[in-house]
Amino acid sequence: MTTQLAAEQQALLRAVWAGDNQNAMNEIANFAADKTAPTQRGLNCYRANGLALAQRALPVAYPVLAQLLGEESFAALAADFWQQQPPVRGDIAQWGAALPAFVQASEQLADVPYLADVAEVEWALHCAATAADAEVDLASLQLLAQADPATLTLVLGEPAICITSEWPVVSIVNAHRLGQPPLEEIAQRLRANAQTGARVGECAFIWRQGLRPMLREAQPGEADFIAALQRGSSLLAALQASPPLDFNQWLVPAVQTALLTGVRTLDSTGVFP
């Protein structure tokens, strides 16, 4: 790529995201033959195509948020987000990670405070859909019956993410994704929260089973248990960090749903040999 071509491409990008037409035309004036109507039409075409792409791509990652806001409001949100947080990578499917924080900071959405947490859960699900396939070693589970838990750690499938919320985000997302619990039940819970001021939150747990992103409410103590394992703690230390967790009840479903993919031994320094 020549220096001239790179400079032209950067000027075009600045023009596409310029706040007004005059600034946009100034950006490309040094590289355009003139500033005639065809040049302006071309710039408008780039802008329109980019905006249309944003409004198609963002609902793929955030289908529940799109349903909650409605088509018109979500399209406006996508347009605003496109202008303020443009993509920095060529793969448009990777664009959108900053939307939860963007929603959280939005004054227009301040009266719907659970939307940012819903968006955070949805982005985690979106990322889980493209996570690398886990290597499963079921034979290593025999170590659980043979070795001291202080010398073992559990291997989890990626991404295995816990998101704690003051709102019933798992129920909200699954009501829209799976139809359970019923939407009316969620609406009643949110109305009750608003009336009493007592929020009943949920901790969302996201992982991948085969090719499917999975979402459920974390069990008591599970978030601390998962966090300890991801820090490299031994099984014993992870259990000590999460006393509410019933490990025997947790173990079999974890294997069946590909959350637990294997067991490894730790050396004397507490790391994988």
Side-chain angles (χ1 to χ4, degrees):
M1 180 183 295
T2 66
T3 302
Q4 176 72 8
L5 178 58
E8 291 176 1
Q9 290 176 340
Q10 289 302 313
L12 177 59
L13 286 173
R14 289 193 297 270
V16 169
W17 274 289
D20 57 73
N21 286 339
Q22 184 57 53
N23 285 335
M25 297 311 296
N26 289 339
E27 288 287 356
I28 61 176
N30 293 331
F31 304 101
D34 54 47
K35 294 190 283 185
T36 59
T39 303
Q40 183 63 60
R41 286 197 299 270
L43 179 60
N44 288 340
C45 182
Y46 270 108
R47 285 176 169 168
N49 286 340
L51 181 57
L53 179 62
Q55 292 173 337
R56 290 195 304 269
L58 214 56
V60 174
Y62 295 99
V64 175
L65 187 63
Q67 292 177 47
L68 289 169
L69 288 176
E71 183 176 354
E72 185 176 342
S73 294
F74 191 80
L77 176 67
D80 196 16
F81 185 62
W82 177 261
Q83 287 291 330
Q84 297 192 42
Q85 299 280 347
V88 295
R89 301 173 62 179
D91 184 0
I92 194 66
Q94 300 302 314
W95 173 66
L99 187 64
F102 189 80
V103 170
Q104 182 68 50
S106 172
E107 294 181 0
Q108 291 83 358
L109 300 177
D111 59 340
V112 197
Y114 54 83
L115 289 182
D117 287 0
V118 168
E120 186 176 1
V121 170
E122 287 209 273
W123 184 253
L125 285 167
H126 179 68
C127 292
T130 57
D133 293 336
E135 295 184 7
V136 180
D137 182 10
L138 294 181
S140 66
L141 298 179
Q142 298 177 8
L143 291 170
L144 292 174
Q146 299 170 352
D148 184 342
T151 67
L152 302 175
T153 193
L154 304 186
V155 182
L156 304 175
E158 295 294 337
I161 297 172
C162 291
I163 299 172
T164 301
S165 172
E166 295 181 345
W167 305 96
V169 288
V170 178
S171 298
I172 293 171
V173 173
N174 278 339
H176 286 82
R177 291 174 70 235
L178 308 175
Q180 290 294 329
L183 288 173
E184 181 55 33
E185 177 183 322
I186 301 304
Q188 290 175 356
R189 290 170 62 182
L190 291 174
R191 285 195 295 268
N193 284 356
Q195 292 169 358
T196 65
R199 300 176 185 174
V200 180
E202 293 176 346
C203 180
F205 186 43
I206 299 103
W207 77 104
R208 175 171 161 167
Q209 181 180 1
L211 300 177
R212 294 186 303 157
M214 305 295 291
L215 169 66
R216 62 166 170 77
E217 187 175 359
Q219 299 175 27
E222 189 173 19
D224 292 332
F225 181 66
I226 296 297
L229 292 173
Q230 291 175 332
R231 290 193 301 267
S233 297
S234 70
L235 173 57
L236 178 61
L239 290 170
Q240 290 173 338
S242 54
L245 182 70
D246 185 333
F247 181 68
N248 291 328
Q249 186 178 23
W250 177 89
L251 181 60
V252 173
V255 175
Q256 292 173 338
T257 60
L259 168 58
L260 175 59
T261 60
V263 180
R264 291 185 185 176
T265 58
L266 300 169
D267 66 15
S268 58
T269 64
V271 299
F272 294 144

